[in-house]
Amino acid sequence: MKNGKAMRTGITTGTCAAAAARAAMQLLLTGRPAERVELALPGGGRLVVPIERCRMESSSACAAVRKDAGGDADATDALEVVAEVGLGGPGERVPPGAAGELDGVRIIAGPGVGVVTLPGLQIPPGEPAVNPVPRRMIVSALRELTARACWVCLSVPGGAETAERTFNPRLGVVGGISILGTTGIVRPYSQEAIRDTIRCSLRVAAACGVRRPVLCPGNIGARSARRLLGLTPQQLVEVSNEWSCAMDELPAHPFEAVLLVGHPGKLAKLARGEWDTHSSRSQPAAAWVTELARGLENPRRERSREAASGCGPHRCANADGTKAPRTVEGVFASLTGDERRRLGDEIASRVATAARNRLAGGEDACSVPVRASDGGVKIIVSVLLIDMQGNELGASGEVDAWRKAQ
């Protein structure tokens, strides 16, 4: 729902590829271009997909479908997914490129479609980044028309540039976008899709030999982590607001330690047991951080400041009469350098303890560095807090271990 209205669904890149392949094969076999085709969906039912364009080549045929992401546009929205198809056999031309084969159908990565280069994904290195469900959709669409051996070369104009704005470079998918989808349908803002990306990123990290991953909420944390720490591309995993998913996935892999990096406005929520940090599903952290700062104040300094100004640093009012500060960043800005560091370290310590308890399923606190242990799972938890400019505010645990190149 958005503004009280149901958001429109869309189609996945996998659906686009399968529909384009079917339209191209239909043209190759019958000579008749299609304005739309009907596909079987993985979960049952069928879907009619409009075709953007079709054309015959000398011994092959091409068709294109435009990606429609629905009411929650993603990076691939409005891209064209093009399929060129041909029949196999001795002497037949087959386009070059990374390829995989399923049920006599050779699937080839053309321009703008990524190629897998690292282990840990559902597709082995060296093959096109066309996930298993889209592969089956393509084969099913073609097998409804012919039982002959054949090939399909997928391309996406602008796909290489678009892929740079996705997780693909970090996952080791090079040269273009991935052809994805598990249901064939894009549903607006799928939290499960974000969780799947987190799980996938952690699988790739583990498969690449990473034993000390770094988790961060998003761009601010990611930029700071790259600048402050010595990291490999696969070591850094953005979790958005889905900390519950990330923490629950960690024990499934042979990780030895984890570092949480981010702004205290986000990470302080973890210390309060809020593992979904989205602003609409969690409480602002400013009031909690303000109270924590008050508790850490040097009593003599606070009395002196109150005598001079009539109020303590966290009780003064803004010019409009509202209490200041109103944000976590504002709380830190109201402190001296030493006070900021003490507050940052205290929040980091509490976040680390909460993360340890989440991993171990326990209730008791412990000193930091924190080792989470449950049924043989042992993961050291460390925390690094940064401000909006990426400067370090506080830390807890063995952060120095990440400052060296891995």
Side-chain angles (χ1 to χ4, degrees):
M1 299 291 287
K2 187 174 184 179
N3 299 325
K5 297 181 180 179
M7 294 177 71
R8 186 170 58 86
T9 59
I11 57 175
T12 64
T13 47
T15 295
C16 294
R22 182 184 179 98
M25 183 60 75
Q26 182 174 310
L27 177 60
L28 183 65
L29 295 176
T30 68
R32 297 192 301 271
E35 294 184 355
R36 61 187 59 82
V37 296
E38 188 178 279
L39 288 179
L41 291 174
R46 297 182 73 83
L47 179 71
V48 175
V49 180
I51 303 302
E52 189 85 358
R53 54 189 171 83
C54 295
R55 78 168 185 274
M56 281 291 300
E57 302 290 348
S58 58
S59 60
S60 62
C62 293
V65 172
R66 191 167 297 279
K67 167 71 184 293
D68 178 2
D72 192 20
D74 60 11
T76 62
D77 188 39
L79 288 179
E80 269 192 351
V81 179
V82 181
E84 180 185 5
V85 302
L87 297 172
E92 293 286 350
R93 181 188 73 86
V94 178
E101 190 160 324
L102 179 64
D103 191 24
V105 177
R106 187 173 178 81
I107 300 173
I108 305 163
V113 172
V115 175
V116 176
T117 66
L118 295 177
L121 297 176
Q122 298 178 73
I123 301 301
E127 292 198 10
V130 181
N131 270 14
V133 171
R135 290 187 183 209
R136 292 195 294 271
M137 290 180 70
I138 292 168
V139 171
S140 173
L142 295 178
R143 286 292 169 250
E144 288 184 357
L145 299 175
T146 180
R148 293 177 61 182
C150 55
W151 54 263
V152 53
C153 181
L154 301 174
S155 59
V156 179
E161 296 78 12
T162 299
E164 294 300 316
R165 305 195 300 273
T166 72
F167 283 94
N168 274 13
R170 195 172 306 152
L171 297 175
V173 176
V174 302
I177 67 168
S178 298
I179 305 299
L180 304 173
T182 55
T183 65
I185 302 295
V186 173
R187 291 178 172 80
Y189 185 69
S190 168
Q191 284 179 272
E192 191 55 40
I194 296 174
R195 293 169 190 149
D196 284 345
T197 299
I198 294 168
R199 296 182 188 111
C200 180
S201 297
L202 290 171
R203 284 199 303 270
V204 169
C208 290
V210 170
R211 294 298 175 261
R212 304 173 71 89
V214 174
L215 309 184
C216 65
N219 289 332
I220 294 174
R223 285 197 303 267
S224 300
R226 293 189 189 100
R227 180 172 63 85
L228 297 172
L229 310 172
L231 303 178
T232 63
Q234 290 72 44
Q235 204 171 359
L236 184 61
V237 177
E238 293 183 36
V239 304
S240 185
N241 296 297
E242 299 293 334
W243 290 94
S244 176
C245 169
M247 301 306 290
D248 292 350
E249 180 71 15
L250 286 172
H253 306 285
F255 298 131
E256 300 168 357
V258 63
L259 175 64
L260 281 54
V261 178
H263 191 276
K266 280 284 189 187
L267 297 195
K269 296 179 181 183
L270 306 184
R272 300 185 311 186
E274 294 183 290
W275 297 94
D276 181 345
T277 56
H278 192 280
S279 58
S280 68
R281 298 185 292 272
S282 61
Q283 295 299 311
W288 184 85
V289 172
T290 296
E291 289 303 312
L292 192 59
R294 286 174 178 163
L296 293 174
E297 275 289 336
N298 182 305
R300 182 181 300 174
R301 173 179 172 80
E302 185 168 352
R303 284 196 299 270
S304 174
R305 188 169 4 206
E306 288 175 353
S309 64
C311 62
H314 311 297
R315 297 178 176 86
C316 293
N318 290 321
D320 61 1
T322 58
K323 290 184 177 180
R326 301 174 66 185
T327 65
V328 171
E329 190 84 359
V331 175
F332 277 89
S334 73
L335 303 174
T336 68
D338 288 344
E339 290 169 339
R340 281 196 295 272
R341 186 70 202 201
R342 287 213 318 273
L343 178 59
D345 288 348
E346 179 65 21
I347 295 172
S349 176
R350 295 189 182 209
V351 172
T353 296
R356 173 262 186 182
N357 289 339
R358 176 82 193 201
L359 285 168
E363 304 268 311
D364 55 321
C366 67
S367 60
V368 188
V370 180
R371 181 172 290 277
S373 177
D374 182 18
V377 175
K378 295 181 179 180
I379 301 176
I380 293 286
V381 180
S382 301
V383 176
L384 175 63
L385 299 181
I386 46 92
D387 63 17
M388 298 297 284
Q389 289 71 48
N391 302 310
E392 186 172 330
L393 288 173
S396 177
E398 301 176 351
V399 177
D400 284 348
W402 280 270
R403 297 189 195 278
K404 302 171 184 177
Q406 299 291 302

